[in-house]
């Protein structure tokens, strides 16, 4: 498919997965698909493009080859833009890319794009306290396991060991989160409340551990991004819910894999993200 309007590519040269070999392979894939990017934005050195910049340049599609943090920062900021967003796996977990395209490599996704085999969709998201979650939120002290994952990413084993001890301590002693509206699950709350947008509403699961073995098992599940492996209570699907820490402390958060903190009480609502995301038919 020959692009009649410009395509921009956003990359991150500071990411280990954005090395020169992978970028060369990606550019070769775009060239083979007859859709060479008109501009490459390196978010390690310049600001992310916003809707106004894309509209002013007449961009038809922006491809994002970065990790989850950059994807989560850029995609919600493009709400209302008439163009299309091609999310490529350019980071560690690639949560949104896997949701849209399965486990296809970036080059295969670009080939499908060039052949016109992708289709635009608008996915559900979660909105809360000025944040937008594209894939999932973990609320509660279990979110501190994200800090361990950062140490693994950097290859710092001493830091991993230190943060693992701290994550276990926080999971055991940190401010648990209870669901108040509607009233769901355990009154004494959960070390981790996972929320994920879906076609039938926001899915809620409460993760609680009773023993050291449980905490370690849950932590390993968090690190692998496979929450189903951890002990949990299914809490159903809901259009919205309100949660609060049981001791009045701030809520620890992991939003699409990135760490944040919130107030003592949060209201989560499922909504539709007004961004045209390109997806494979079975992604």
């Amino acid at each position: 498919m020959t692009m009649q309007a410009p395509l921009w590519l956003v990359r991150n040269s500071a990411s280990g997965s954005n090395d020169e070999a992978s970028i060369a392979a990606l550019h070769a894939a775009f060239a083979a698909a007859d859709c060479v990017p008109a501009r490459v934005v390196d978010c390690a050195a310049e600001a992310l493009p916003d809707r106004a910049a894309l509209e002013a340049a007449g961009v038809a599609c922006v491809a994002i080859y970065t990790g989850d943090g950059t994807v989560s920062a850029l995609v919600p900021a493009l709400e209302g833009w008439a163009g299309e967003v091609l999310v490529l796996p350019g980071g560690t977990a690639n949560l949104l890319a896997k949701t849209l395209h399965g486990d296809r490599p970036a080059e295969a996704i670009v080939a499908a794009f060039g052949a016109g085999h992708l289709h635009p969709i608008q996915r559900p998201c979660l909105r809360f306290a000025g944040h937008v979650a594209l894939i999932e939120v973990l609320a509660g002290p279990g979110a501190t396991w994200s800090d361990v994952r950062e140490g693994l990413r950097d290859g710092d084993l001493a830091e991993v060991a230190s943060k693992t001890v701290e994550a276990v301590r926080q999971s055991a002693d940190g401010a648990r989160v209870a669901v108040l509206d509607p009233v769901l699950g355990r009154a004494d709350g959960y070390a981790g409340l996972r929320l994920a947008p879906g076609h039938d509403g926001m899915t809620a699961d409460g993760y609680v551990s009773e023993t050291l073995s449980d905490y370690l098992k849950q932590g390993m599940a968090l690190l692998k991004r496979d929450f189903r492996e951890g002990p949990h209570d299914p809490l159903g699907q809901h259009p919205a819910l309100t949660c609060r820490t049981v001791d009045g402390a701030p809520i620890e958060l992991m939003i699409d894999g990135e760490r944040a903190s919130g107030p003592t009480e949060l209201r989560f609502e499922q909504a539709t993200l007004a961004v045209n995301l390109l997806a494979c038919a079975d992604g």
Side-chain angles (χ1 to χ4, degrees), residues 6-29:
L7 176 145
W8 283 11
L9 171 64
V10 177
R11 63 161 298 197
N12 181 5
S13 62
S15 171
S17 57
N18 265 221
D19 59 25
E20 292 309 312
S22 66
I23 288 295
L26 186 63
H27 279 290

Side-chain angles (χ1 to χ4, degrees), residues 18 80 104 111 126 134 236 243 253 256 260 269 282:
N18 265 221
R104 293 173 177 83
L126 301 182
L134 304 177
C243 68
L253 297 165
D256 292 337
E269 297 181 343
D282 58 348

Side-chain angles (χ1 to χ4, degrees), residues 48-52 71-81 132 273 275:
L48 291 170
D50 57 17
R51 175 182 170 182
V71 170
S72 296
L74 177 54
V75 171
L78 300 180
E79 281 201 281
W81 177 50
V132 175
L273 185 74
V275 176

Side-chain angles (χ1 to χ4, degrees), residues 202-219:
M202 171 175 41
T203 297
D205 293 290
Y207 292 81
V208 63
S209 304
E210 305 294 349
T211 67
L212 177 60
S213 176
D214 286 341
Y215 285 118
L216 290 173
K217 182 178 180 180
Q218 184 59 64

Side-chain angles (χ1 to χ4, degrees), residues 22 26 30 38-39 41 44 59 69 74 76 87 105 129 146 153 163 166 173 188 208 212 236 243 246 252-253 259 282:
S22 66
L26 186 63
F30 275 116
R39 180 183 171 192
V41 178
V59 174
L74 177 54
V87 180
S146 176
R153 182 182 300 172
K163 289 187 173 179
E166 178 62 16
D173 302 329
D188 60 347
V208 63
L212 177 60
C243 68
V246 295
E252 296 299 328
L253 297 165
R259 284 281 285 118
D282 58 348

Side-chain angles (χ1 to χ4, degrees), residues 30-280:
F30 275 116
D34 199 15
C35 49
V36 175
R39 180 183 171 192
V40 177
V41 178
D42 184 353
C43 65
E46 51 190 316
L48 291 170
D50 57 17
R51 175 182 170 182
L54 297 175
E55 290 175 342
V59 174
C61 177
V62 59
I64 311 174
Y65 184 64
T66 69
D68 293 319
T70 303
V71 170
S72 296
L74 177 54
V75 171
L78 300 180
E79 281 201 281
W81 177 50
E84 297 173 336
V85 178
L86 178 62
V87 180
L88 301 171
T92 303
N94 302 310
L95 298 176
L96 185 57
K98 286 183 178 179
T99 300
L100 296 170
H101 312 297
D103 289 321
R104 293 173 177 83
E107 294 80 8
I109 299 168
V110 170
F113 170 70
H117 293 164
L118 305 185
H119 62 282
I121 62 171
Q122 292 195 346
R123 284 179 43 79
C125 67
L126 301 182
R127 300 186 191 276
F128 59 101
H131 296 285
V132 175
L134 304 177
I135 299 296
E136 65 191 12
V137 175
L138 187 72
T144 55
W145 280 93
S146 176
D147 300 333
V148 181
R149 194 178 75 251
E150 290 301 315
L152 287 171
R153 182 182 300 172
D154 296 337
D156 189 334
L157 296 183
E159 182 182 26
V160 168
S162 173
K163 289 187 173 179
T164 296
V165 171
E166 178 62 16
V168 171
R169 188 189 69 79
Q170 286 288 343
S171 296
D173 302 329
R176 292 193 174 194
V177 174
V179 184
L180 306 180
D181 181 20
V183 176
L184 299 171
R186 306 187 185 207
D188 60 347
Y190 294 95
L193 176 67
R194 181 185 181 252
L195 306 173
H199 296 298
D200 298 321
M202 171 175 41
T203 297
D205 293 290
Y207 292 81
V208 63
S209 304
E210 305 294 349
T211 67
L212 177 60
S213 176
D214 286 341
Y215 285 118
L216 290 173
K217 182 178 180 180
Q218 184 59 64
M220 293 304 104
L222 289 169
L223 293 178
K224 292 189 291 183
R225 315 300 310 149
D226 190 350
F227 291 87
R228 293 169 297 179
E229 292 187 8
H232 65 279
D233 297 338
L235 302 177
Q237 295 177 309
H238 311 274
L241 60 78
T242 300
C243 68
R244 180 190 302 161
T245 53
V246 295
D247 64 356
I251 297 177
E252 296 299 328
L253 297 165
M254 185 163 58
I255 306 170
D256 292 337
E258 301 296 317
R259 284 281 285 118
S261 293
T264 61
E265 181 175 311
L266 282 171
R267 177 75 172 173
F268 296 89
E269 297 181 343
Q270 176 160 307
T272 298
L273 185 74
V275 176
N276 300 314
L277 298 169
L278 292 171
C280 293

